[in-house]
Amino acid sequence: MVTFTLPSLVILLLSLLSVANSGSIGINYGRIANDLPSPAKVVQLLKTQGINRVKLYDTDSNVLTSLSGSNISVTVALPNEQLSEAASKQSFTDSWVQSNILPYYPNTLIEFIAVGNEVFVDPKNTTPFLVPAMKNVYSSLIKYGVASSIKVSSPVALSALENSYPSSTGSFKPDLIEPVIKPMLSFLKQTGSPLMVNIYPFFAYIGNTDTISLDYALFRDNKGQTDPNNGLVYKSLFEAQIDAVYAAMKALNFDDVAMAISETGWPSKGDENEVGASAANAAAYNGNLVRRVLTGSGTPLKPNEPLNVYLFALFNENQKPGPTSERNYGLFYPNENKVYDISLTIKGLESDLIVNNGSKSKVVTTPTASPLPAPVNGGDVEVSKVVNTWCVANEKATREKLQAALDYACGEGGADCRPIQSGATCYDPDTLEAHSSYAFNSYYQKKARGTGTCDFNGAAYVVTQHPKYGSCKFPTGY
């Protein structure tokens, strides 16, 4: 039997990361907010985080100019409001390309033009204009000699599917197939462009919490779901949804069209009815997704097709309408602090492996059993039990249980809850789970991490990795 010392095991894991048939991670840069940093600062943030692909929702001149020379690949958008004119007049798309693409390209690395966004659910019924607009944009790119390097596609919502479960039965809505789906897929096939799809397991989860486990939605360890028609086993809802789209395309004989996930994410905050919207769950979803994309291959149905994914979104956007979750998908606050700490690059994942001795993730994703395991002999190295531990809120606890435990910790329990008061250092993110975690940990540390001091009637558990919410640092001891 071959045994590995800890350093050699880490080296082996790193080598596996480097040879994986991995995909790419980009990010959506939405700007429906009045408190965001300047585009120049945003570009510096992207570079600092190692993000080399960004997707925009327009062709803002300041943003495109700031991206010039950055080596960040860019997807720009022709908005739904312009689809009608783009579909009816080649002269319109000629002028649009002249004004919005040519002045910036190639110093700004524009690689995709997203024509419209989720057009099939646009209340203004712009669906009939989509494919003619895509064709006219492409013709304009040909006219100006840039069609070979700039692709044309359109992000489609998962609601374009009639069936998505099980994945093998994936099919498009019948009323869309002949008028728009087939012509669009034909265009994408001819031009070598991928179908862009917006996929949000969060929506499926909150609508079906009785049948979809949170672990399955968050890429955490779970027994998986077996497709009864082909025997493929799915360990994540994300992959199952992707393969439902692949199955729908195959049913129309377009299984050779590639796919890009133009949006996916998980909110760090939500309304009372948005079950699962929390900073811990957002960190778990996005952190595990990044790891899956950068260190894995394709889906069960398409194992050799790398996953190319754009996270949603770069910032929390305070002017977006709708439920609270809509304003809380960002990985960063407008002040550029992280909402939660995850790695976004392969180099970051490699560092995690070294720092955490090969543990799965530096974000809290699953409870750690307590008491902690005794030392284990492994080859030439004795792995000792962890010295530092912290106490965090159990995301599966009810809000009532968390609130009662928080009230006790900050009151009779004597926890130092000053940092989570409004305006204090750990007030953001302003969520019950984040505030509870800070209070529970304060109580736990004040009680010298004694047995039973991190339970709160099932509302908390012990973890061995330093939790982070935004820029807030949890104390290790008092």
Side-chain angles (χ1 to χ4, degrees):
M1 179 180 293
V2 178
T3 60
F4 294 98
T5 62
L6 187 57
S8 65
L9 181 59
V10 171
I11 291 171
L12 174 62
L13 289 169
L14 295 184
S15 66
L16 291 175
L17 288 181
S18 64
V19 300
N21 183 26
S22 57
S24 66
I25 290 289
I27 199 160
N28 284 275
Y29 173 22
R31 304 193 319 282
I32 305 178
N34 61 7
D35 55 357
L36 299 183
S38 68
K41 287 186 175 181
V42 171
V43 172
Q44 289 306 308
L45 176 64
L46 294 172
K47 293 171 74 173
T48 300
Q49 298 300 317
I51 300 170
N52 58 16
R53 303 182 88 177
V54 66
K55 179 170 163 284
L56 311 177
Y57 291 87
D58 53 23
T59 53
D60 182 86
S61 178
N62 290 331
V63 175
L64 292 177
T65 299
S66 296
L67 285 162
S68 178
S70 66
N71 289 321
I72 296 173
S73 296
V74 184
T75 296
V76 299
L78 186 150
N80 291 355
E81 298 77 42
Q82 297 180 344
L83 287 177
S84 175
E85 284 189 280
S88 60
K89 303 174 186 175
Q90 179 72 58
S91 59
F92 176 86
T93 57
D94 285 349
S95 176
W96 188 87
V97 168
Q98 284 180 311
S99 301
N100 297 283
I101 303 297
L102 300 183
Y104 310 101
Y105 182 83
N107 290 333
T108 298
L109 299 178
I110 300 172
E111 63 171 346
F112 285 105
I113 297 174
V115 177
N117 184 57
E118 298 189 345
V119 173
F120 306 151
V121 294
D122 185 351
K124 296 184 179 179
N125 192 28
T126 50
T127 297
F129 307 124
L130 177 58
V131 177
M134 294 172 72
K135 289 181 176 180
N136 280 348
V137 169
Y138 182 69
S139 295
S140 296
L141 295 178
I142 292 176
K143 181 175 183 178
Y144 297 111
V146 293
S148 61
S149 50
I150 301 177
K151 302 295 184 182
V152 176
S153 188
S154 183
V156 174
L158 196 66
S159 59
L161 295 186
E162 177 78 5
N163 296 309
S164 61
Y165 180 82
S167 299
S168 57
T169 65
S171 60
F172 290 105
K173 289 180 176 177
D175 60 318
L176 294 174
I177 291 176
E178 293 299 332
V180 63
I181 296 293
K182 278 187 175 180
M184 179 174 63
L185 291 176
S186 179
F187 168 81
L188 295 175
K189 181 177 180 177
Q190 292 170 8
T191 60
S193 300
L195 175 67
M196 291 181 168
V197 185
N198 295 344
I199 290 180
Y200 287 91
F202 171 71
F203 295 136
Y205 171 72
I206 63 174
N208 301 275
T209 55
D210 56 333
T211 57
I212 298 176
S213 78
L214 187 59
D215 289 341
Y216 185 59
L218 298 180
F219 297 88
R220 299 195 298 208
D221 290 340
N222 64 92
K223 65 181 180 180
Q225 299 284 334
T226 301
D227 190 311
N229 297 317
N230 55 25
L232 294 177
V233 178
Y234 290 90
K235 291 290 188 176
S236 72
L237 179 55
F238 176 78
E239 293 175 75
Q241 290 179 324
I242 291 175
D243 278 357
V245 181
Y246 275 131
M249 290 196 289
K250 184 176 182 179
L252 301 179
N253 297 315
F254 287 101
D255 58 331
D256 50 355
V257 173
M259 193 188 310
I261 309 306
S262 39
E263 286 184 20
T264 191
W266 196 282
S268 60
K269 187 177 181 181
D271 294 322
E272 289 288 340
N273 64 336
E274 295 184 296
V275 182
S278 71
N281 287 344
Y285 179 81
N286 285 317
N288 291 333
L289 171 62
V290 170
R291 183 178 297 278
R292 171 68 184 80
V293 169
L294 296 183
T295 67
S297 53
T299 63
L301 188 62
K302 295 269 192 174
N304 297 319
E305 292 289 332
L307 297 170
N308 296 307
V309 175
Y310 290 85
L311 300 178
F312 187 88
L314 186 57
F315 295 109
N316 285 341
E317 299 172 72
N318 67 352
Q319 293 185 321
K320 291 197 73 174
T324 298
S325 62
E326 286 295 313
R327 294 175 288 283
N328 289 277
Y329 274 91
L331 273 65
F332 293 87
Y333 294 110
N335 64 6
E336 301 183 45
N337 287 335
K338 289 184 176 181
V339 177
Y340 43 84
D341 191 17
I342 63 170
S343 294
L344 297 170
T345 65
I346 193 72
K347 188 172 292 186
L349 295 176
E350 291 171 353
S351 297
D352 293 349
L353 284 175
I354 295 173
V355 170
N356 297 313
N357 292 335
S359 64
K360 285 188 175 181
S361 175
K362 65 179 177 181
V363 298
V364 177
T365 57
T366 54
T368 299
S370 182
L372 294 171
V376 177
N377 288 323
D380 299 328
V381 176
E382 183 181 80
V383 182
S384 63
K385 66 182 180 181
V386 178
V387 175
N388 288 335
T389 56
W390 296 265
C391 184
V392 298
N394 182 352
E395 69 272 15
K396 295 183 180 180
T398 64
R399 291 185 64 84
E400 291 76 16
K401 182 177 285 188
L402 284 177
Q403 188 64 58
L406 175 62
D407 292 342
Y408 170 81
C410 293
E412 182 182 344
D416 181 9
C417 295
R418 290 172 297 178
I420 57 175
Q421 302 306 306
S422 180
T425 55
C426 291
Y427 179 73
D428 287 325
D430 178 18
T431 67
L432 178 58
E433 186 173 327
H435 288 181
S436 296
S437 290
Y438 189 91
F440 296 166
N441 183 66
S442 174
Y443 176 88
Y444 176 65
Q445 302 297 340
K446 281 179 175 289
K447 297 295 183 181
R449 303 193 289 274
T451 302
T453 60
C454 180
D455 181 69
F456 295 95
N457 196 28
Y461 56 78
V462 174
V463 296
T464 59
Q465 297 170 11
H466 201 157
K468 283 189 68 176
Y469 289 86
S471 60
C472 178
K473 293 185 178 180
F474 281 40
T476 304
Y478 289 92

